[in-house]
């Protein structure tokens, strides 16, 4: 199993990303201990020169880190034919105890990596490196999480055996199952459907207000995170039912398959994009008063608002279109 090309590619890439981030983390410790912009010492000049190289290396590494979430899902979905009982990635990830923890770590790291890339972009616009220490503190935390993800992923792939029997997605995401997946599947659509659309409406109003008046950044970031959680729950509770046109099929992975036009990748990409852009607005709020960023940061935050709203509204439009055009109806 370990010789599978997709598995080899994922593991090799994870090792490379981990190595690059370890090197960047070591440099980050030196930055946090020795950075002093008022000093003209040789050490300070060396740190200033190398921070551009490190930021470039980390940017490419984290860009792949965000993409690897989808590659992992695509690989898990493609392997389901090798396991008895698996119908999609849900069954493949259930084969051993490392599959779902790896997926959760990849999701967390994808969100943090996207936020770091935005913070780094803002930092490069300031002549006095105003975000350099917060940026490297965030990077050190990210290094530990990526290393943990690499270990989990290695264990997951190493313990895959072709003769294993696993559970199908219908069993894992059954609304009567005593598990988190079962609880999400069992959420009543009469509550989740209005909650989902109301959340998106409030988010849109808050985003427009923030864009026009520049106030409410923390509120928008919190609402963006809340909308992300509600959307994931809604996807399992009732949105997936419209794509499958089955009242009992709540799997969040089958929509990644060709049978459904790979629409799941677009749905998840819009949610992640909306969440990363929206939460980054809150991360940047404390630095709006920085003299070197004051002329630039409000414009960057406006672009992030537009990106976040576009992603969430596209997700809502895709869901609404499917609900209106599908033959399936909930509640009669």
């Amino acid at each position: 199993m370990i010789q599978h090309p997709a598995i080899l590619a994922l593991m090799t890439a994870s090792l490379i990303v981990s190595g690059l981030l370890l090197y960047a983390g070591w440099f980050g410790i030196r930055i946090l201990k020795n950075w002093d912009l008022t000093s003209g010492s040789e050490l300070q000049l060396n740190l200033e020169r190398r921070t551009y190289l490190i930021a470039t290396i980390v940017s490419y590494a984290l860009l792949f880190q965000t993409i690897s979430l989808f590659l992992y899902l695509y690989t898990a979905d493609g392997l389901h034919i090798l396991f008895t009982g698996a119908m999609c990635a849900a069954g493949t990830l259930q084969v051993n105890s490392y599959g779902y923890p790896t997926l959760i770590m990849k999701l967390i790291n994808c969100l943090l990596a996207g936020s770091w890339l935005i913070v780094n972009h803002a930092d490069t616009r300031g002549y006095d490196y105003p975000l350099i220490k917060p940026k490297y503190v965030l990077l050190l935390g990210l290094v530990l999480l990526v290393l943990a993800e690499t270990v989990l992923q290695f264990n997951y792939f190493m313990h895959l055996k072709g003769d294993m029997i696993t559970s199908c997605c219908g069993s894992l995401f059954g609304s009567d199952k005593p598990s988190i997946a079962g609880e999400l599947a069992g959420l009543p659509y009469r509550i989740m459907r209005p909650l989902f659309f109301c959340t998106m409406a409030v988010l849109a109003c808050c985003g427009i207000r923030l864009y026009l008046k520049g106030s409410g950044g923390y509120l928008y970031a919190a609402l963006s995170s809340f909308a992300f959680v509600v959307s994931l729950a809604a996807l399992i509770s009732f949105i997936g039912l419209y794509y499958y046109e089955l009242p009992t099929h709540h799997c969040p992975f089958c929509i990644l398959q060709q049978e459904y036009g790979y629409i799941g990748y677009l749905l998840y990409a819009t949610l992640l994009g909306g969440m990363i852009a929206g939460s980054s607005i809150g991360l940047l709020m404390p630095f709006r008063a920085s003299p070197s960023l004051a002329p630039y940061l409000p414009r960057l935050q406006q672009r992030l608002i537009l990106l976040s709203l576009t992603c969430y509204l596209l997700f809502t439009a895709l869901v609404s279109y499917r609900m209106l055009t599908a033959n399936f109806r909930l509640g009669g």
Side-chain angles (χ1 to χ4, degrees):
M1 192 72 69
I2 194 69
Q3 292 94 356
H4 192 285
I7 294 177
L8 285 176
L10 271 170
M11 292 180 65
T12 303
S14 291
L15 289 175
I16 293 173
V17 169
S18 297
L20 292 174
L21 291 184
L22 270 177
Y23 175 68
W26 172 78
F27 180 78
I29 292 174
R30 293 185 63 197
I31 286 277
L32 294 175
K33 289 177 60 178
N34 302 306
W35 184 265
D36 181 7
L37 201 58
T38 61
S39 171
S41 66
E42 183 178 352
L43 175 60
Q44 175 63 24
L45 294 176
N46 184 43
L47 291 176
E48 289 179 21
R49 282 195 296 269
R50 294 181 67 185
T51 189
Y52 288 105
L53 172 64
I54 297 299
T56 303
I57 291 173
V58 173
S59 296
Y60 281 107
L62 294 186
L63 184 62
F64 177 81
Q65 182 64 38
T66 59
I67 299 172
S68 73
L69 170 64
F70 296 96
L71 296 179
Y72 180 72
L73 284 172
Y74 183 80
T75 302
D77 187 58
L79 293 176
H80 80 271
I81 57 175
L82 303 177
F83 302 102
T84 302
M87 296 173 62
C88 63
T92 310
L93 295 174
Q94 184 70 14
V95 167
N96 60 49
S97 58
Y98 299 103
Y100 280 103
T102 303
L103 177 63
I104 293 171
M105 289 300 296
K106 279 190 173 293
L107 176 61
I108 294 172
N109 290 337
C110 175
L111 296 172
L112 291 178
S115 298
W116 192 93
L117 291 172
I118 292 173
V119 171
N120 179 61
H121 177 72
D123 187 47
T124 58
R125 295 300 185 272
Y127 56 82
D128 56 349
Y129 311 95
L131 304 180
I132 193 160
K133 288 195 174 180
K135 181 174 72 176
Y136 278 102
V137 169
L138 176 61
L139 180 63
L140 288 177
L142 195 50
V143 170
L144 296 177
L145 291 174
V146 170
L147 291 177
E149 174 200 311
T150 301
V151 172
L152 285 171
Q153 181 179 263
F154 180 81
N155 276 286
Y156 171 61
F157 286 134
M158 286 298 294
H159 290 85
L160 286 181
K161 306 296 180 186
D163 56 350
M164 287 181 168
I165 299 175
T166 184
S167 303
C168 71
C169 53
S171 172
L172 293 172
F173 291 90
S175 58
D176 57 341
K177 300 297 177 185
S179 62
I180 295 177
E183 294 293 332
L184 290 173
L187 291 173
Y189 73 90
R190 287 186 175 86
I191 295 176
M192 289 306 299
R193 192 162 54 186
L195 176 63
F196 168 71
F197 285 107
C198 287
T199 300
M200 290 302 175
V202 172
L203 182 73
C205 293
C206 183
I208 293 171
R209 178 174 177 272
L210 176 60
Y211 184 87
L212 296 176
K213 298 184 177 180
S215 60
Y218 290 114
L219 175 62
Y220 183 83
L223 274 175
S224 178
S225 302
F226 182 69
F228 180 78
V229 174
V230 168
S231 299
L232 286 180
L235 194 64
I236 298 174
S237 172
F238 74 93
I239 294 174
L241 305 184
Y242 286 94
Y243 283 96
Y244 305 132
E245 299 191 354
L246 287 172
T248 57
H249 196 52
H250 295 270
C251 178
F253 297 103
C254 284
I255 52 174
L256 299 172
Q257 295 181 336
Q258 184 179 12
E259 182 180 354
Y260 301 100
Y262 301 110
I263 188 65
Y265 290 102
L266 182 57
L267 292 173
Y268 289 125
T270 53
L271 282 184
L272 288 169
M275 168 66 177
I276 291 171
S279 60
S280 296
I281 293 170
L283 282 178
L284 296 175
M285 285 301 290
F287 307 102
R288 284 170 67 97
S290 171
S292 62
L293 288 179
Y296 173 75
L297 214 50
R299 293 202 302 274
L300 173 61
Q301 288 184 307
Q302 284 185 324
R303 289 198 289 272
L304 290 174
I305 295 166
L306 291 178
L307 176 60
S308 176
L309 284 179
T310 301
C311 288
Y312 276 123
L313 292 179
L314 178 58
F315 178 84
T316 307
L318 289 170
V319 170
S320 301
Y321 176 78
R322 183 62 187 178
M323 291 174 66
L324 292 173
T325 59
N327 295 321
F328 175 79
R329 291 289 181 272
L330 275 174

